[in-house]
């Protein structure tokens, strides 16, 4: 992936990298130079990126039995 540096020295972090690191607006990032001279971008605020499955976790509702849940998933009234 490549990106262009602006006149102000700014770059846009590609979407795939933002998603991989869990970078959202307001996230802090850090740049580190590795021993071979490469620069590595890491997320600096120590928050782990949210699992793509974590967003889907939840429950069907308080007090619903199996029949009520099945009716909801089928779209029955």
């Amino acid at each position: 992936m490549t990106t262009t540096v602006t006149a102000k020295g700014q770059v846009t972090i590609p979407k795939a990298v933002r998603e991989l690191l869990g970078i959202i607006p307001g996230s802090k990032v850090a740049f580190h130079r590795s021993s071979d001279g490469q620069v590595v971008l890491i997320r600096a605020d120590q928050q782990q990126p949210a699992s793509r499955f974590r967003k889907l976790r939840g429950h069907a509702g308080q007090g619903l039995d199996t029949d009520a849940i099945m009716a909801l998933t089928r779209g029955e009234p």
Side-chain angles (χ1 to χ4, degrees):
M1 291 177 252
T2 60
T3 187
T4 303
V5 179
T6 68
K8 291 182 170 184
Q10 299 171 335
V11 296
T12 299
I13 301 170
K15 182 178 180 184
V17 175
R18 293 191 316 263
E19 289 177 347
L20 176 69
L21 296 176
I23 296 172
I24 59 172
S27 295
K28 296 197 181 291
V29 297
F31 299 91
H32 291 279
R33 187 173 180 189
S34 63
S35 59
D36 63 359
Q38 293 185 3
V39 176
V40 179
L41 169 71
I42 63 168
R43 187 162 174 184
D45 54 14
Q46 302 300 322
Q47 294 179 3
Q48 295 295 323
S51 163
R52 60 183 171 173
F53 300 109
R54 183 174 292 161
K55 293 184 273 184
L56 302 174
R57 290 183 69 186
H59 56 85
Q62 192 171 15
L64 295 177
D65 61 9
T66 303
D67 291 329
I69 293 170
M70 294 305 293
L72 284 172
T73 59
R74 293 182 185 127
E76 297 173 358

